[in-house]
Amino acid sequence: QARRTRDFWAGSFLLSYLTAYAMKAVQDQDGRIVMPDVSSDEMLKRVCNGTGDGPKIGSLPNCFEAAIPAGFDGAKVADAVRVEWKRIADEVWEHDKLKDAGANKTMWDDQIKSFWEIAWVIADPKVEAALAMRKNWRNHYPPEQAGDKCTMMGEWQELSGVATPGDQRQKDFWRELRDGVKSELELRDGERLCAIAYVKRRFVHVWGALNPDWKLPTGVPSTSYMAAVHWIERLILTNPEAKAMQDLCNEARGAKALGEKLTR
């Protein structure tokens, strides 16, 4: 669920990243990923080895098959996903000082813990529909959510915990959070997010602490920008003033990159 292109990117990236942790947990138990072909997947390589440039887009699907040895424990694979997801969420909580902002830690933890539905099955390879049959066994029940709901994920309660929409305490809570992140692009006026949506929106800002030397973009082009990009390109090529501005921007980017390199 998403409200802007960045949310779509974040959801896709996180799902792929957590799938890589599931695959790593399979390999750690001497299993072998059969489908999809991950022999050259950069996401899995980075998660398994901890070195090299990590990818900036998700490359793994959220469903896979593996050949496993006797005594394999599927629960360890599910646990690997939950542990890494919680590690990301905890870092966001601490970085944005959500406790000081007045967010309810119990509600945060319940939402983070209860979000993922992870289904796995050990079966003969000839039983092609084994996983589909397992998924039809509905046994994932997220906690009931009271109060006003998230504007991105409408089945989850937003973080202020206020029972009535429009309550002044709710407005104050989100205004202070917007002021704290110092960007209207991060949390726009009127947005109220649950823990899951908040992690999706903010995890890139703690990514360096979790995964050193793996850089992710803090911004993703909007749909309106993508619609106009060809017009902007023609403008730069045909208008001398626009081209001069583009040259200035390129010089500024180069200076910033040089400054970061010298700082390191």
Side-chain angles (χ1 to χ4, degrees), residues 44-56:
L44 185 58
K45 285 181 180 178
R46 171 68 198 217
V47 166
C48 289
N49 302 327
T51 58
D53 293 334
K56 293 179 173 57

Side-chain angles (χ1 to χ4, degrees), residues 5-6 9-10 13 54-58 186 200-207 214-221:
T5 51
R6 176 174 161 184
W9 167 82
F13 181 89
K56 293 179 173 57
I57 60 172
E186 293 289 317
K200 282 175 61 176
R201 188 65 60 79
R202 295 289 296 163
F203 83 96
V204 293
H205 298 282
V206 303
W207 192 255
W214 186 350
K215 292 185 177 180
L216 292 181
T218 56
V220 175

Side-chain angles (χ1 to χ4, degrees), residues 163-228:
T164 307
D167 189 294
Q168 187 60 46
R169 292 171 297 172
Q170 182 186 61
K171 296 177 181 178
D172 292 343
F173 175 86
W174 287 105
R175 186 185 66 253
E176 290 178 13
L177 269 188
R178 284 195 301 274
D179 292 343
V181 301
K182 297 179 175 62
S183 175
E184 283 287 338
L185 293 176
E186 293 289 317
L187 296 170
R188 290 176 179 165
D189 187 23
E191 282 191 314
R192 303 177 302 280
L193 304 179
C194 62
I196 302 103
Y198 193 91
V199 170
K200 282 175 61 176
R201 188 65 60 79
R202 295 289 296 163
F203 83 96
V204 293
H205 298 282
V206 303
W207 192 255
L210 296 169
N211 296 281
D213 302 323
W214 186 350
K215 292 185 177 180
L216 292 181
T218 56
V220 175
S222 65
T223 52
S224 56
Y225 175 82
M226 295 304 295

Side-chain angles (χ1 to χ4, degrees), residues 12-227:
S12 174
F13 181 89
L14 284 171
L15 194 57
S16 179
Y17 175 74
L18 294 173
T19 299
Y21 268 85
M23 290 180 173
K24 179 180 183 298
V26 169
Q27 294 177 344
D28 288 345
Q29 295 186 73
D30 298 323
R32 175 175 56 86
I33 308 303
V34 175
M35 187 199 72
D37 178 7
V38 296
S39 57
S40 59
D41 186 82
E42 295 300 322
M43 178 75 78
L44 185 58
K45 285 181 180 178
R46 171 68 198 217
V47 166
C48 289
N49 302 327
T51 58
D53 293 334
K56 293 179 173 57
I57 60 172
S59 56
L60 296 171
N62 66 331
C63 181
F64 65 91
E65 294 181 11
I68 57 173
F72 184 89
D73 188 353
K76 290 183 178 180
V77 180
D79 287 344
V81 174
R82 296 188 180 100
V83 167
E84 184 59 19
W85 167 242
K86 185 176 185 301
R87 188 171 80 105
I88 296 170
D90 287 348
E91 192 70 25
V92 171
W93 173 273
E94 294 296 333
H95 179 272
D96 282 10
K97 298 180 173 59
L98 292 179
K99 179 181 179 180
D100 295 341
N104 186 309
K105 187 64 161 62
T106 300
M107 181 174 69
W108 171 278
D109 288 340
D110 284 346
Q111 291 183 354
I112 294 298
K113 179 179 67 176
S114 306
F115 176 60
W116 293 109
E117 179 181 5
I118 304 174
W120 57 273
V121 62
I122 297 176
D124 188 298
K126 296 178 182 178
V127 185
E128 296 182 357
L131 182 59
M133 289 189 289
R134 170 62 184 86
K135 291 175 72 174
N136 285 334
W137 175 15
R138 302 292 183 180
N139 65 334
H140 178 72
Y141 299 100
E144 291 186 9
Q145 300 290 291
D148 196 19
K149 300 302 188 289
C150 173
T151 54
M152 185 191 302
M153 305 174 70
E155 66 273 32
W156 297 89
Q157 186 175 4
E158 54 87 23
L159 287 175
S160 77
V162 173
T164 307
D167 189 294
Q168 187 60 46
R169 292 171 297 172
Q170 182 186 61
K171 296 177 181 178
D172 292 343
F173 175 86
W174 287 105
R175 186 185 66 253
E176 290 178 13
L177 269 188
R178 284 195 301 274
D179 292 343
V181 301
K182 297 179 175 62
S183 175
E184 283 287 338
L185 293 176
E186 293 289 317
L187 296 170
R188 290 176 179 165
D189 187 23
E191 282 191 314
R192 303 177 302 280
L193 304 179
C194 62
I196 302 103
Y198 193 91
V199 170
K200 282 175 61 176
R201 188 65 60 79
R202 295 289 296 163
F203 83 96
V204 293
H205 298 282
V206 303
W207 192 255
L210 296 169
N211 296 281
D213 302 323
W214 186 350
K215 292 185 177 180
L216 292 181
T218 56
V220 175
S222 65
T223 52
S224 56
Y225 175 82
M226 295 304 295

